Amino acid sequence: MSGRPLLNHRLDGLGTTIFAEMSALATTTGAINLGQGFPDTDGPESVREAAVRALRDGRGNQYPPGPGVPELRTAISDHQRRFYDLTFDPDTEVLVTAGATEAIAATMLALLEPEDEVIAFEPFYDSYAACIAMAGAKRVPLTLHAPSFRPDLDELRSKITPRTRLLLLNTPHNPTGTVLTIEEQSAIAALAVEHDLLVVTDEVYEHLVYEGTHHPIAALPGMRERTVSISSAGKAFSFTGWKVGWVMADAPLVAAVRTAKQYLTYVSSGPFQYAIAEALHLPDAYFDNLRADHRRKRDLLSDGLRAAGFKVFQPAGTYFITTDIRPLGESDGFAFCRALPERAGVVAIPNAVFYDHREEGAPFVRFAFCKRTEVLEEAAKRLKAAW
Ligand code: PMP
Ligand code: GLN
């Protein structure tokens, strides 16, 4: 073999995801895993049963249709109308994907040319950097600064160049928990219209909002034709392993994304698609309870982290809490998280991995609160005892 590296240069530095690294650490040390964001209890029994029924009835055991099974596409369209008064044609404006992860990948691969610039909020969810890189495009971070972690919209304007193709939004935002206000979204929308930009919005935490309201940017004037909206069943229904996600947009945008998606997985999650179609029709009480339950857990873990000496940035949405470790006399989140399982029996994620400007994220550490109450209480107890 030549001395040439096996991994192509576009993927330089992307290594193993922090979630895999930290979940492995939780397994080997037996620590409580508040790192990778997945619930430790499954979603509704009726939805699980719907998957079993689909499997037994032979629905989805062979390749489902490329765009997703019609029942699910209709349910996604119904869900957008019910919650946001948005209309998407299930046949041409909805595409089912292997989680939001594939939706993001297919969207980037479909819409970007090499050298296009993508503006994304920093800290960004890790797959954004990878997908922009795989498309050969360039990411341009717009840093959300502590303590508010809100976007500076004048700075956003200043980052737009003739090469800017796309704004990549995420609200509610992982890892900071920021929920964009309607005013912020309107200002972003106005910039997108003025500069004729595409907008891709990752809304996987749409049902986990505790302060304020989730506003899909696609509902704002001038946005429907330039926005790709992405969501997923993982967070809303607590079945992250099923990997059912979706894309919603005008037909030409969906057609473009479908072109890329066909050659990634083609299709996925056959029987689970039927189950999620049922889940999306659950009554409002389900979504209200999900939010109330997570709000309680957020408050429980926030109090515990504060009592242990962390500075807590109370999230308005998602199931993550970003903290500052400097009050504990620490400043390097990476070293802190690598030592935390031994020191306290808890696993967390260093936010620095979500930054291009690593130094900006160095003192911040993320804890997931989508865990059983007794697990959160035990984690809080251990953290308090460790300092
Ligand atoms: N976007 C964000 C912001 C996330 O936090 C995650 C992880 N849940 C995803 C996308 C990926 O979602 P999925 O598991 O549906 O692929
Ligand atoms: N979205 C989850 C998180 O932010 C992790 C998903 C993954 O492991 N890729 O923790």
Side-chain angles (χ1 to χ4, degrees):
M1 299 285 279
S2 71
R4 183 177 142 178
L6 293 176
L7 186 67
N8 76 57
H9 74 275
R10 292 188 302 284
L11 297 181
D12 269 353
L14 292 168
T16 304
T17 84
I18 193 71
F19 306 116
E21 180 186 341
M22 289 298 163
S23 282
L25 199 57
T27 307
T28 52
T29 59
I32 296 176
N33 191 355
L34 303 186
Q36 192 176 29
F38 62 89
D40 62 355
T41 41
D42 288 347
E45 191 53 31
S46 66
V47 177
R48 194 154 53 172
E49 279 307 312
V52 172
R53 242 184 299 119
L55 256 157
R56 288 223 174 94
D57 295 349
R59 286 180 301 145
N61 290 332
Q62 310 304 332
Y63 297 134
V69 303
E71 288 83 347
L72 177 55
R73 283 185 278 116
T74 300
I76 291 165
S77 168
D78 291 348
H79 171 275
Q80 293 309 99
R81 190 174 312 104
R82 170 175 154 198
F83 286 99
Y84 312 117
D85 206 19
L86 275 167
T87 309
F88 289 98
D89 178 345
D91 290 331
T92 58
E93 297 185 320
V94 177
L95 173 68
V96 176
T97 55
T101 305
E102 189 195 33
I104 294 159
T107 302
M108 296 302 142
L109 291 170
L111 301 181
L112 295 173
E113 295 287 359
E115 308 306 324
D116 278 348
E117 291 177 4
V118 176
I119 303 178
F121 297 147
E122 172 187 66
F124 19 60
Y125 180 57
D126 69 342
S127 86
Y128 300 171
C131 292
I132 295 167
M134 287 191 279
K138 189 172 162 232
R139 67 180 180 272
V140 176
L142 178 75
T143 309
L144 306 179
H145 296 286
S148 73
F149 293 115
R150 308 214 73 86
D152 176 336
L153 298 167
D154 292 328
E155 196 184 343
L156 173 58
R157 173 182 287 280
S158 75
K159 301 233 169 205
I160 297 172
T161 75
R163 302 219 101 144
T164 309
R165 173 66 166 162
L166 191 155
L167 305 179
L168 176 50
L169 308 181
N170 173 212
T171 183
H173 180 258
N174 178 5
T176 64
T178 296
V179 174
L180 294 180
T181 62
I182 188 94
E183 291 77 20
E184 285 165 336
Q185 302 233 50
S186 298
I188 294 169
L191 284 175
V193 171
E194 181 187 335
H195 295 275
D196 195 21
L197 305 177
L198 296 169
V199 171
V200 176
T201 173
D202 174 347
E203 304 182 355
V204 299
Y205 298 101
E206 61 186 302
H207 288 294
L208 295 169
V209 174
Y210 318 110
E211 258 80 60
T213 314
H214 175 66
H215 299 285
I217 200 167
L220 295 178
M223 294 311 287
R224 182 65 167 74
E225 64 270 27
R226 64 180 68 251
T227 303
V228 176
S229 304
I230 292 173
S231 197
S232 149
K235 313 296 144 113
F237 302 110
S238 302
F239 288 113
T240 58
W242 290 9
K243 296 298 287 190
V244 178
W246 48 87
V247 165
M248 298 156 291
D250 264 9
L253 279 168
V254 165
V257 176
R258 191 171 51 229
T259 304
K261 184 261 183 304
Q262 291 177 111
Y263 301 108
L264 293 173
T265 54
Y266 181 49
V267 291
S268 58
S269 310
F272 299 127
Q273 292 195 25
Y274 292 96
I276 296 301
E278 292 195 23
L280 285 164
H281 286 124
L282 284 169
D284 289 355
Y286 166 77
F287 297 95
D288 293 342
N289 287 338
L290 179 82
R291 190 168 45 248
D293 188 40
H294 282 84
R295 180 185 283 116
R296 201 177 44 70
K297 291 178 173 182
R298 174 197 67 166
D299 293 345
L300 175 66
L301 188 61
S302 302
D303 289 348
L305 288 165
R306 264 188 225 104
F310 292 81
K311 176 170 169 51
V312 169
F313 302 99
Q314 187 84 332
T318 76
Y319 44 48
F320 304 111
I321 297 172
T322 286
T323 61
D324 188 333
I325 57 175
R326 283 173 291 192
L328 298 171
E330 304 268 352
S331 56
D332 177 350
F334 263 112
F336 181 86
C337 288
R338 292 210 166 102
L340 196 61
E342 283 299 328
R343 182 162 187 180
V346 175
V347 165
I349 298 286
N351 284 28
V353 294
F354 303 125
Y355 286 80
D356 281 341
H357 303 99
R358 292 266 157 135
E359 68 295 343
E360 174 89 23
F364 303 131
V365 166
R366 189 194 85 174
F367 292 85
F369 57 83
C370 46
K371 307 292 172 181
R372 281 167 294 138
T373 300
E374 59 272 29
V375 172
L376 297 174
E377 284 169 349
E378 174 62 23
K381 200 165 92 192
R382 291 185 187 184
L383 288 166
K384 188 150 194 271
W387 277 273

